[in-house]
Amino acid sequence: MVNQLKRSRRATPEIGTRALAFIGRQDWLDRPSYRLENVLSFAFNALGKSRNRVTNLLNGVWLGHPAHPPLASLASGAIGTTVALDVLHALPHRPAVERIDSARFAQNALAIGILANLGSAATGVTDWQHTHEQDRRVGLVHGLLNLVATSLYIASWRDRRRGHHLRGMAVSAIGYGIATGSGYLGGSLVFGSGIGIDQSGPRLHAPDWTPVLAEASLPPGELQRVEVDGIGIVVCRNDDDGVTAVGAHCPHLAAPMSDGWLDRGRIVCPWHGSQFDVQDGHVVRGPAAAPLPCYQARLHDGKIEVRSEGELTK
C-alpha cells in the first residue's frame, strides 16, 4: 500500500509535466492567440486617453502586483463554497428548512463566484497578452477552460433560479472540476514561468557611496548598465543633468532596462512598454505592476556614485 502511494505521488507531477509540455508544443495555437491579442490591442487603443487608466487598473498597478491572482482566489473560494453547500444540501435526513437555506446560500455564493470569474478573466487576459511561445499557449488553454467553467456556472445559476436544483448542482460541480484542472495550468505560469511575479531581481545593499562611472562616459539622455557588489543596476543621465540609478531588470518579465530609453522623466521598458518614474521607480504605465527598484545617485568629483541607503523602493 505504501509503495502504491509513493508511485501515485510520483505519477502526478509526471502527468502534469507531460500535459504542460504537450500544450506548449501546439504551435497551431499561435495564430488564434495573436489574433486575439490584436483584438485586445484595438479595444484598449479605442479607449483613447482612458487607455492607461483602464490597463493600469486591470494590470493591478494600484495593488503593486497583478490583480488576477486575488480575483481568481475569490472565484475559486466562492465556487468551492457552492459545491460544499450543495453536498450539505444532498445529505439525507436533513430538515427541510436547512435544505432551503443551504440551497439559497449556494446560489448566492455561485453568483459571487461568477462575478469574480468575470473579473478574473478580464485581468487574466490583460496579463496574458504579453506572454510568448509556450507560456502563451498554456495561458490560452487556461483561459479557454476557465471560460467553459464560467459558462457552466452561469447555466447552473439559471437552473437553480428555475427550480432545477439537482441539475444546477451537477453542472456547477462539473465546472468546478474543469476550473481545478485549469488552475494547475495557471499555477505553472506563475510558479514555473514567473508570470505575475516581480522579476526585478536581487536588490543592491551598499550603504556607502560607490563610484560606478566617469561622469563624461554617460551623455545626457543615455542609460548604461553597471554592477555594484555583483548586483546589476542601470544608471540614467537625465536631460536636466541629474542622475538616477534603477534596477537592471523590469519587474514584469525581467527585460533588460539598459535597452530601454528615457521619455519625459520616465524610463521605458524595451519589451512591453512599461513606464516608470525615474525619480522613485513607481509605475506610470503597465503591464508592470510592481515598482522598479530605485537607488540614490549623485555626481561627485567627476564620478557618478550610487548607494542603497535611503532606498526608495524595497
Side-chain angles (χ1 to χ4, degrees), residues 16 93 144 153 161 270 274 297:
H93 311 301
L144 290 174
Y153 298 150
R161 291 271 295 178
S274 295

Side-chain angles (χ1 to χ4, degrees), residues 19-34 128 131-144 185 189:
L20 289 170
F22 174 78
I23 296 172
R25 291 194 299 268
Q26 307 308 305
D27 55 5
W28 62 270
L29 292 172
D30 292 344
R31 177 173 293 182
S33 72
Y34 282 107
W128 166 85
T131 58
H132 304 280
E133 297 180 343
Q134 288 86 356
D135 291 337
R136 171 173 285 256
R137 297 161 195 162
V138 172
L140 181 64
V141 174
H142 168 68
L144 290 174
L185 300 181
L189 292 174

